[in-house]
Amino acid sequence: MTSSSDTDFTLKDESPSSSQSRQDLESNKQNEQDTQLYPADALSTPRQILFVGTLCTAMFTNQVGLGNTLTTVGIIGESFGITNSGQLSWLIAGYSLTIGTFILIGGRLGDEFGNKRLFVIGMAWYSLWSLVAGLSIYSSHVLFVFARVFQGMGPALTLPNGLAILGRSYSPGPKKNMSFVWFGGAAPLGAIAGFTFGGLFALVWWPWIYWSQAIALACVAAFAAWAIPPIPVDPNEKPRTKWERVERLDLAGGLTGVTALVLFNFAWNQAVVFPILPLSAFNSDIAFVFVCTATGWACFGIWVFYIGQIAVNIRGNTPIQMAAWFVPVIPVGLVSALAVGKLLGKVPASWIMVVGQVAYLTGSIIAATFQPNSTYWTFFFFSVLIITVGMDTSFPSATIIFSNAVPQQYQGMGASIVMTVVNYSISLGLGFAGTVETNINHGGVTKDDKLLGYRRALWLSVGLAGLGLVFSLIFVAKGHWKRGSKN
């Protein structure tokens, strides 16, 4: 027979155990929900490498599309009978213009209809128009420009949706930060691949630059369909019909915004961001990052085009030599990416942004004073070295700030904003620089006249980098003032 005291003792003894069991169940349930919401956290290391590597092909192939034309634009233009600098720059600017203009819509489409689906479609679309770009040899430069413009719609789908998949698959923390860093770090690798293979295929027949690209992109599209796991749906998000999703796209705003961006850029190359992201996602910090990213990447676009023009048209370098001259971006880019990945979370992203702006400014000054008769190991080498640091510090820090600023269901749009700024700024910067060049070079008849125009364009990049540095320092000071006022 059990006494009352024994019963009380038994109940009291079992109570903590029951409480612990309930806590364990709740903890396991929370971990299961986190795994479902952020599936990449639970993947094995080899599987994560495959997953992130597949998504990094978006940035890699985007830069291949820029690099394979930058150093061969003269050869391509010559086959079509084009020698005017303004027309030649359009062969490059049209590609970046399309990416920067349509990337917001690409991100929103992914958020509404599936980021993975739009990523694969983007790769397939990019492959198709790369094929057409090569076939334009049998037509005219009009078809080539048309194909380049439509090529840009491929990265306009893959870039924001690749970043959105990373943002939705990893919980906030070091893994998510590093995935964004590697995404940005793929840019210099892609640029070098573009320079190298563009130069090699140009030695045989330039259409193979784009036909080989089409084959590779088709393979990537097929592989991505298998390698990227299903993206989880936010359990708090209400199911919507396809018509409701279409209504949420704000097609009227998208149409007017795209038209404005295209016409403004076209005017500069041949001489706003619309309400697709909720206004509540914007604040003054994002506005500063917006300006810093825009000035930095506009500076980069001018730098990479005009330092190449000096080396090719004044110094006489071949496309293969140019690929070799840009090789330092690979080790420097990898080291910068690793460094930024380790620093993010320990050092404010605003300070990393300042480092990027200083690199853009310093590298641009070296390029603007580049002496064509100097050895590689002076101006050109150090300019490439320093500008690469600018690329691989400004992009990850901006991406992290934007990604953390928007809810999970808007990751595609948040990524779109960053990539819009990057690509549209490159295109618009080239338009500004082309205007400066053609109004300074006295028609570009002699090498001295050409060099004068190139230098003035590069000094414009110095001014843009300086403006970005000023804004980045104001951004840092603003952060210190806000923390001080709270204390």
Side-chain angles (χ1 to χ4, degrees):
M1 189 171 181
T2 305
S3 65
S4 174
S5 61
D6 288 340
T7 304
D8 291 341
F9 176 83
T10 303
L11 289 172
K12 290 177 182 176
D13 185 58
E14 289 178 355
S15 180
S17 176
S18 300
S19 176
Q20 183 64 41
S21 297
R22 285 196 299 272
Q23 290 177 359
D24 290 342
L25 286 172
E26 290 174 1
S27 176
N28 290 337
K29 185 178 179 181
Q30 181 63 43
N31 290 335
E32 185 178 346
Q33 289 176 346
D34 289 344
T35 300
Q36 291 174 350
L37 195 58
Y38 302 108
D41 288 340
L43 295 177
S44 64
T45 299
R47 187 70 180 84
Q48 286 191 55
I49 293 172
L50 184 66
F51 171 64
V52 175
T54 302
L55 295 173
C56 285
T57 60
M59 179 61 86
F60 181 88
T61 56
N62 167 47
Q63 292 298 311
V64 166
L66 185 65
N68 63 13
T69 308
L70 268 171
T71 55
T72 58
V73 66
I75 297 172
I76 296 169
E78 185 180 350
S79 70
F80 291 123
I82 300 172
T83 57
N84 180 272
S85 296
Q87 287 181 297
L88 289 177
S89 68
W90 181 247
L91 302 184
I92 299 166
Y95 172 76
S96 293
L97 164 63
T98 310
I99 298 173
T101 302
F102 288 93
I103 206 166
L104 279 170
I105 294 177
R108 187 60 185 264
L109 285 171
D111 288 339
E112 295 297 336
F113 297 102
N115 299 118
K116 177 181 176 179
R117 180 182 294 120
L118 269 293
F119 185 93
V120 174
I121 290 172
M123 284 293 179
W125 178 274
Y126 194 7
S127 173
L128 171 64
W129 287 99
S130 296
L131 176 65
V132 175
L135 291 173
S136 67
I137 187 68
Y138 299 111
S139 181
S140 68
H141 77 281
V142 175
L143 179 59
F144 180 79
V145 172
F146 187 81
R148 285 287 288 168
V149 167
F150 274 75
Q151 263 189 309
M153 289 187 179
L157 294 176
T158 61
L159 287 168
N161 287 294
L163 284 169
I165 292 169
L166 290 175
R168 300 180 78 161
S169 299
Y170 282 107
S171 59
K175 286 184 178 180
K176 180 179 179 180
N177 292 348
M178 280 304 299
S179 69
F180 283 145
V181 165
W182 285 120
F183 193 94
L189 298 175
I192 286 297
F195 293 148
T196 303
F197 289 104
L200 287 172
F201 285 118
L203 292 175
V204 183
W205 196 29
W206 72 257
W208 271 106
I209 297 173
Y210 302 99
W211 292 337
S212 62
Q213 186 180 12
I215 295 169
L217 289 166
C219 293
V220 172
F223 186 77
W226 169 80
I228 301 173
I231 307 303
V233 178
D234 188 344
N236 298 321
E237 187 178 353
K238 295 191 301 182
R240 291 185 297 272
T241 64
K242 287 186 177 181
W243 178 245
E244 288 174 331
R245 293 180 184 275
V246 170
E247 284 185 322
R248 282 168 52 88
L249 289 177
D250 186 16
L251 294 178
L255 179 62
T256 54
V258 165
T259 303
L261 290 170
V262 170
L263 292 176
F264 183 62
N265 191 291
F266 185 84
W268 276 102
N269 276 285
Q270 296 298 309
V272 218
V273 178
F274 43 88
I276 203 164
L277 184 66
L279 293 176
S280 60
F282 289 95
N283 54 44
S284 60
D285 289 350
I286 286 182
F288 275 107
V289 176
F290 192 103
V291 174
C292 293
T293 305
T295 54
W297 283 88
C299 164
F300 168 77
I302 297 169
W303 171 83
V304 74
F305 180 72
Y306 282 99
I307 198 172
Q309 291 297 295
I310 293 175
V312 172
N313 296 335
I314 307 300
R315 188 184 174 91
N317 285 23
T318 65
I320 294 297
Q321 282 179 302
M322 291 306 301
W325 277 28
F326 279 108
V327 160
V329 304
I330 295 177
V332 176
L334 291 175
V335 171
S336 298
L338 285 171
V340 171
K342 297 295 182 183
L343 290 173
L344 279 171
K346 300 176 183 177
V347 177
S350 57
W351 276 109
I352 297 176
M353 184 73 71
V354 170
V355 172
Q357 298 302 318
V358 171
Y360 280 132
L361 179 61
T362 307
S364 296
I365 291 173
I366 295 173
T369 56
F370 176 36
Q371 300 298 319
N373 58 353
S374 63
T375 63
Y376 166 72
W377 300 103
T378 52
F379 294 88
F380 202 100
F381 173 73
F382 285 104
S383 184
V384 171
L385 215 65
I386 296 168
I387 284 284
T388 304
V389 175
M391 285 192 296
D392 286 319
T393 51
S394 66
F395 180 82
S397 54
T399 304
I400 291 296
I401 293 171
F402 272 90
S403 178
N404 292 339
V406 298
Q408 190 185 22
Q409 66 266 31
Y410 293 133
Q411 286 294 309
M413 288 181 284
S416 298
I417 294 292
V418 179
M419 297 311 304
T420 295
V421 174
V422 168
N423 287 280
Y424 192 77
S425 298
I426 290 174
S427 181
L428 194 58
L430 280 171
F432 290 154
T435 302
V436 171
E437 178 203 352
T438 54
N439 282 277
I440 292 292
N441 68 0
H442 308 299
V445 178
T446 67
K447 279 191 175 183
D448 288 339
D449 289 337
K450 288 181 180 178
L451 182 59
L452 178 65
Y454 298 158
R455 284 196 190 285
R456 293 298 182 269
L458 286 166
W459 279 113
L460 173 62
S461 72
V462 172
L464 288 169
L467 180 63
L469 177 58
V470 170
F471 273 96
S472 66
L473 290 173
I474 294 174
F475 181 38
V476 170
K478 177 176 174 290
H480 281 293
W481 180 81
K482 285 176 65 177
R483 286 192 293 271
S485 62
K486 287 180 181 179
N487 296 331

